[in-house]
Amino acid sequence: MKRLLRTLPILLILIIGSSCSSSLQKAEQQFNNGQYEEAISHLNSYLFFNVTDIKALHIRARCYEELGEIEKSKSDYERIISIDKEYAHGYGGLAKLLFEQKDYENAESMILRAATLNPEDFDIMYLLGRTMLMNGKFKKAEEFLRKATDLNPDYAQVYYYTGMALAYQGDALGCAASFNSYVSREPNNMVGRYNRGFAYMNAGFLKWALEDFDAVLAQNPKHTEALAKKQQCLNYLGLAAAN
């Protein structure tokens, strides 16, 4: 009997531990399936017994973010950082929320800290580049976006923002090349086609620019910027009368 009493607490701990682990796995699966409220319910149960589990807090922070409950998401990220000041994605998560709230200055501070801790993470480098772009630090933006490209060369949007950074630096050829890389990956994106056409025009490749403006106008004949830029190209080429 005494042996049974000594064994009982151990069994209870094992049962509770197994149940908690199951709750975390279930919550992660629900998050991946977009069942954010259900995931939060499981995570709340799990975190009752595992209050410092960073993975669980991170998943819950992402659930809150997806549901638009930004303050709750921030609270979880701040809790993560208080537990582990070396957890890069805690700072990255906060930076993303601040970026989306257009608080670019504070977002930069947070994402720089994340990049210091994990310079090989694509999402961190990509957000860092975009944040630098929004803060008017165009050379730095280009530097970090190129680093992001090295980490994930197939991600189309990184070329778009690199093109923007180069445009602000007055590098017409580099801008055109970057937008060309973007359009080759997203050929049906008319924003990209327009920006590539504009870059081609500034770089002096007027016939290529016309092709892009014509593609945009085929999709949207009332695109006033494309109409105006097309007319400029025609004027430069001396083709206005013929068209």
Side-chain angles (χ1 to χ4, degrees):
M1 183 65 176
K2 288 182 179 179
R3 183 178 179 184
L4 178 60
L5 290 174
R6 286 196 301 269
T7 307
L8 187 58
I10 298 173
L11 291 173
L12 287 172
I13 290 169
L14 290 172
I15 291 168
I16 291 170
S18 176
S19 176
C20 287
S21 177
S22 177
S23 290
L24 181 57
Q25 291 173 359
K26 181 68 173 177
E28 188 171 12
Q29 182 181 35
Q30 288 171 328
F31 170 77
N32 291 332
N33 292 335
Q35 298 171 288
Y36 305 119
E37 292 178 351
E38 294 87 344
I40 289 170
S41 177
H42 277 96
L43 288 165
N44 288 342
S45 299
Y46 176 82
L47 285 163
F48 183 81
F49 295 100
N50 302 271
V51 294
T52 60
D53 190 306
I54 288 174
K55 180 178 181 180
L57 286 166
H58 193 170
I59 297 171
R60 191 172 69 176
R62 288 288 293 114
C63 287
Y64 283 135
E65 183 182 345
E66 293 293 337
L67 291 171
E69 298 186 47
I70 302 305
E71 291 307 314
K72 289 183 179 180
S73 183
K74 277 185 179 180
S75 179
D76 274 345
Y77 282 125
E78 288 166 354
R79 173 66 175 151
I80 289 169
I81 293 170
S82 73
I83 295 168
D84 183 358
K85 290 181 171 53
E86 303 298 306
Y87 188 71
H89 287 286
Y91 299 96
L94 275 177
K96 184 171 180 283
L97 296 178
L98 291 165
F99 183 92
E100 291 173 351
Q101 292 179 319
K102 300 185 179 356
D103 186 356
Y104 302 120
E105 184 176 346
N106 286 318
E108 180 181 327
S109 175
M110 286 290 173
I111 198 62
L112 275 170
R113 176 61 175 153
T116 300
L117 293 167
N118 191 352
E120 300 303 316
D121 185 274
F122 168 78
D123 290 328
I124 288 173
M125 283 296 150
Y126 177 58
L127 181 57
L128 179 54
R130 290 185 63 198
T131 304
M132 289 293 182
L133 186 62
M134 297 307 297
N135 284 333
K137 301 175 181 179
F138 305 124
K139 185 62 180 175
K140 282 290 184 183
E142 178 196 350
E143 176 186 336
F144 292 123
L145 287 166
R146 290 196 186 281
K147 173 65 173 176
T149 303
D150 291 339
L151 294 168
N152 186 358
D154 295 323
Y155 191 74
Q157 284 292 119
V158 74
Y159 297 98
Y160 178 91
Y161 290 110
T162 303
M164 296 295 292
L166 290 165
Y168 281 118
Q169 293 178 75
D171 184 350
L173 284 173
C175 176
S178 192
F179 276 118
N180 187 53
S181 295
Y182 171 71
V183 172
S184 69
R185 291 165 173 79
E186 295 281 350
N188 297 320
N189 188 302
M190 291 301 106
V191 174
R193 290 295 295 269
Y194 171 78
N195 281 314
R196 186 178 70 173
F198 189 45
Y200 279 150
M201 187 179 78
N202 287 334
F205 302 119
L206 301 182
K207 290 185 179 180
W208 289 355
L210 277 172
E211 289 179 8
D212 277 339
F213 295 140
D214 282 339
V216 173
L217 291 167
Q219 293 286 328
N220 180 9
K222 295 182 179 179
H223 194 297
T224 55
E225 293 88 352
L227 282 167
K229 295 297 184 291
K230 176 180 177 179
Q231 190 60 48
Q232 283 183 317
C233 289
L234 292 172
N235 289 338
Y236 291 146
L237 292 168
L239 299 175
N243 290 272

